[in-house]
Amino acid sequence: MSASIILHASDGHSLSAYVARPASQPIAGLVIIQEIFGVNAHIRSVADGFANDGFLGVAPALFDRIKPGIELGYEGADVQTAMSLIPKIDVEKAVIDVAAAIDYAAKATGKKVGVVGYCFGGSVAWLAATRLHPAAAVGYYGGQIGKYAAETPNCPVMLHFGRQDAHIPPTVAEAVHAAHPDVEIHWFDAGHAFNCDARASYNAAAAHLARERTVAFFKKQLA
């Protein structure tokens, strides 16, 4: 079962969120943090997938601060629109919005909450781990994580990167490993956005293995 709700951030901002509910009592809550394409069909499907695994999935619309209802595809003009949004993103406020989603998931389940993010969302997931207090965090190919590698996570963290990712140099993961050897980092023979089955860079084998590890990690840390 899925629904659209309104979240209320601590600074007074209201934003929408997609909620995917499991068929039975949730194992835990899980906040799914979007790419730069908004809470689109792919991100909703990711939330649905986690709900099928027993989690209450909450995907906050972080672009509502720029313009409500942004939902983009991965080709043509939509890509240009997505790129144009990057300078408008306030990462500090994105973290505030993720906090609202964590609070909602915690209250809705009465259980622990984790965060998982992809691309832009992967970087925000790292900041959620260092600046908020989720019970666990997973970041997929977060290109900006290196800028914040010195920040210390407040929870167990798992990170996924592709060896053929032309957008993220190995130094990003190396900076995290040097500062935090306990952070679990996985490398895949894949490019950027290998988890997104709506993109040409999708790598089924890497996506399956990364997801398998992610679900096992969350079940261990959140159960």
Side-chain angles (χ1 to χ4, degrees):
M1 181 188 299
S2 62
S4 180
I5 64 167
I6 299 297
L7 300 174
H8 303 285
S10 61
D11 64 351
H13 172 65
S14 295
L15 65 151
S16 63
Y18 177 80
V19 177
R21 305 180 190 281
S24 57
Q25 187 70 11
I27 297 169
L30 200 56
V31 175
I32 296 94
I33 310 176
Q34 65 178 66
E35 306 163 308
I36 61 168
F37 300 90
V39 181
N40 58 10
H42 171 65
I43 293 299
R44 294 194 297 271
S45 73
V46 170
D48 292 341
F50 283 121
N52 289 337
D53 289 315
F55 299 94
L56 174 75
V58 183
L62 303 186
F63 286 172
D64 275 10
R65 288 185 182 265
I66 300 171
K67 181 182 177 182
I70 293 176
E71 182 179 330
L72 302 169
Y74 300 99
E75 297 180 352
D78 277 6
V79 175
Q80 297 305 314
T81 299
M83 294 298 112
S84 73
L85 294 172
I86 294 176
K88 301 177 183 179
I89 296 170
D90 186 326
V91 176
E92 308 290 334
K93 291 182 178 178
V95 173
I96 292 174
D97 293 344
V98 169
I102 291 173
D103 289 346
Y104 170 84
K107 291 174 182 176
T109 62
K111 298 180 178 180
K112 294 179 180 179
V113 179
V115 298
V116 55
Y118 303 83
C119 192
F120 160 68
S123 298
V124 176
W126 173 260
L127 291 178
T130 64
R131 301 181 183 186
L132 304 175
H133 291 85
V138 174
Y140 280 70
Y141 32 81
Q144 299 302 307
I145 293 176
K147 291 172 55 178
Y148 308 102
E151 297 189 23
T152 301
N154 298 311
C155 65
V157 175
M158 174 184 285
L159 299 177
H160 300 305
F161 294 98
R163 296 187 189 279
Q164 284 83 53
D165 193 330
H167 302 283
I168 304 175
T171 51
V172 171
E174 290 167 1
V176 173
H177 179 70
H180 313 286
D182 55 327
V183 169
E184 190 173 342
I185 299 175
H186 295 286
W187 288 93
F188 300 86
D189 291 323
H192 191 68
F194 64 77
N195 183 72
C196 182
D197 58 6
R199 303 175 73 166
S201 55
Y202 175 62
N203 183 305
H208 176 79
L209 181 55
R211 191 177 188 285
E212 189 176 70
R213 288 171 172 168
T214 295
V215 172
F217 177 75
F218 280 134
K219 286 185 175 179
K220 176 184 177 181
Q221 301 297 338
L222 305 181

